[in-house]
Amino acid sequence: MNVLIIHGPNLNMLGYRDKKIYGSMTYEGLKEYISVYAKSKGMNTAFFQSNHEGELIDCIQESCHGDFDAIVINAGAYSHYSYAIRDALEICHFPKVEVHLSNVMQREDFRKTLVLSDVCDRTIYGLGPEGYLLALDFLLDKTHNV
Ligand code: DQA
């Protein structure tokens, strides 16, 4: 299974952002953490990060016609208001999981609105980097149970 892991704005700054909220793992460290786990489960991962909404949409659109079987996305702050990213995800007819490192339901009110969730098969938040591993487990379970 080929999984595309997409990160939105400011997630390239992990390790420099508030460590109490996001932990101390850097973006490079996170990619390593996810890909090592994926490999152990026989999955391949590819990563894309952008601070720009249009680039994220282009990446999602291209992935629909590419070699991918699933998407894991942490769109950062766009998760709370980007209907354009939501609509791009809706076009892709493979499994999609939304992940947030922090517990968005216990932070500022604006973070409680998640506009991508209804087009994703699952939303995972508040579990730190482990949330991505659960996302991969979910995708494996889902494809085995088809
Ligand atoms: C985040 C939560 C968002 O509210 C925030 O804007 C981020 C990261 C998370 O992973 O917890 O950039 O998606």
Side-chain angles (χ1 to χ4, degrees), residues 9-11 17 21-22 74-80 99-104 107 110-111 132:
N10 299 311
L11 288 157
R17 296 181 78 174
I21 295 175
Y22 297 111
N74 180 349
Y78 283 136
S79 315
H80 310 302
V99 174
H100 298 283
L101 291 158
S102 64
N103 187 343
V104 285
R107 297 181 62 193
F110 74 86
R111 295 187 204 273
Y132 293 88

Side-chain angles (χ1 to χ4, degrees), residues 23-127:
S24 53
M25 200 180 275
T26 61
Y27 178 59
E28 287 306 312
L30 179 66
K31 288 198 292 186
E32 178 71 9
Y33 175 76
I34 297 168
S35 59
V36 165
Y37 184 78
K39 245 180 232 152
S40 78
K41 297 278 173 177
M43 305 165 100
N44 297 314
T45 43
F47 292 86
F48 180 79
Q49 188 277 330
S50 176
N51 294 322
H52 305 280
E53 187 177 28
E55 286 184 3
L56 293 164
I57 292 165
D58 289 345
C59 172
I60 293 165
Q61 287 183 0
E62 283 158 25
S63 75
C64 301
H65 312 292
D67 303 326
F68 295 105
D69 306 301
I71 282 180
V72 173
I73 184 164
N74 180 349
Y78 283 136
S79 315
H80 310 302
Y81 64 91
S82 176
Y83 299 117
I85 292 177
R86 182 214 170 275
D87 286 353
L89 285 170
E90 190 177 32
I91 298 166
C92 293
H93 294 296
F94 48 50
K96 292 153 281 188
V97 182
E98 173 184 18
V99 174
H100 298 283
L101 291 158
S102 64
N103 187 343
V104 285
M105 295 304 159
Q106 289 183 359
R107 297 181 62 193
E108 301 93 327
D109 278 350
F110 74 86
R111 295 187 204 273
K112 294 178 185 158
T113 302
L114 296 174
V115 302
L116 312 183
S117 295
D118 77 304
V119 292
C120 289
D121 298 274
R122 182 124 193 223
T123 298
I124 297 168
Y125 55 80
L127 299 176

